Amino acid sequence: MKKIVLIFSIIITMSICSGCGLLTQKDKTTDISDYSEYLGAEGKHPNDIFPQSIPITAEIEDFCYYYYNSWDPNHVVYLVYSCNEEDYAKETERLSKLNSSSDYLIYGGTGFNYPICAIYADSYNGYIYALADKDNNRLIYVEITFCDYFSDINYEEIIDKEYLPKGFDAKLGNSTRRAFDKGELNK
């Protein structure tokens, strides 16, 4: 009986702390000088698609790193830059060598407005991808990762719609989450 009371007390305490925001973790920056703190080889949140470092010739158009964890980790990371032809060619070559997902149209996505250089897509966890705008030597990197088939972060407020997959919906109540709730998907 004591174990049951203890477990129940822990659950109540966690619920109260969560409701008060005491268990919520949040980290957000739009300062490109913070890039290596979060991404790249030494960053808190490295991945293969985002560059290890930003080329010297890069002209940054947009950057945002947003981590939110109320119960499950959520990331929205966004980087857009243009660079000289040599750096553009090096980066697109690096990205082309990554083992991209072949089945990448998830969460209602029907395609992209730019060619895909590399992409990781998983219906449980979301997307990480790089797009190429060859006409402008511009590279677009996007990460929208989450748990439980929906994002707790309003990614549409952060990422320009033209860089999101067409038709993409990972908001609470999306069709993929509804399919999971009905038992039509396996974790």
Side-chain angles (χ1 to χ4, degrees):
M1 184 65 167
K2 286 183 180 182
K3 286 182 181 180
I4 293 172
V5 170
L6 178 62
I7 291 171
F8 185 71
S9 297
I10 290 171
I11 292 170
I12 295 295
T13 302
M14 287 179 67
S15 296
I16 291 169
C17 289
S18 176
C20 295
L22 297 176
L23 296 180
T24 300
Q25 296 175 354
K26 189 175 183 180
D27 199 355
K28 185 174 182 180
T29 185
T30 57
D31 184 348
I32 194 62
S33 68
D34 293 334
Y35 185 85
S36 63
E37 180 181 339
Y38 295 100
L39 299 154
E42 303 299 318
K44 296 176 185 177
H45 185 67
N47 67 60
D48 294 344
I49 292 181
F50 277 71
Q52 295 299 308
S53 61
I54 308 292
I56 291 176
T57 66
E59 292 182 32
I60 306 300
E61 292 180 31
D62 212 348
F63 170 69
C64 182
Y65 174 89
Y66 189 3
Y67 169 72
Y68 176 75
N69 187 349
S70 61
W71 289 102
D72 296 312
N74 287 252
H75 285 90
V76 171
V77 187
Y78 175 51
L79 171 64
V80 180
Y81 68 83
S82 56
C83 55
N84 69 20
E85 288 183 25
E86 181 182 341
D87 286 336
Y88 180 84
K90 282 182 194 175
E91 182 61 1
T92 54
E93 175 69 17
R94 179 190 74 82
L95 291 165
S96 72
K97 293 178 181 177
L98 297 177
N99 188 18
S100 290
S101 301
S102 57
D103 185 18
Y104 58 80
L105 293 176
I106 57 174
Y107 288 87
T110 60
F112 292 84
N113 291 312
Y114 296 93
I116 300 167
C117 293
I119 188 167
Y120 299 145
D122 178 282
S123 64
Y124 182 70
N125 294 309
Y127 271 121
I128 304 174
Y129 56 87
L131 306 174
D133 175 2
K134 185 167 177 47
D135 293 339
N136 297 299
N137 286 348
R138 182 170 39 174
L139 293 154
I140 300 115
Y141 303 87
V142 174
E143 176 179 354
I144 304 170
T145 53
F146 43 83
C147 297
D148 299 327
Y149 301 99
F150 69 94
S151 177
D152 289 327
I153 301 171
N154 187 349
Y155 51 86
E156 291 176 323
E157 290 182 355
I158 298 169
I159 301 170
D160 190 321
K161 188 174 181 173
E162 79 174 291
Y163 304 136
L164 291 172
K166 297 174 189 173
F168 178 72
D169 179 10
K171 295 179 275 244
L172 184 63
N174 69 72
S175 61
T176 304
R177 175 59 199 215
R178 287 193 314 268
F180 173 74
D181 289 342
K182 292 178 185 175
E184 298 169 358
L185 292 176
N186 294 321
K187 234 181 192 180

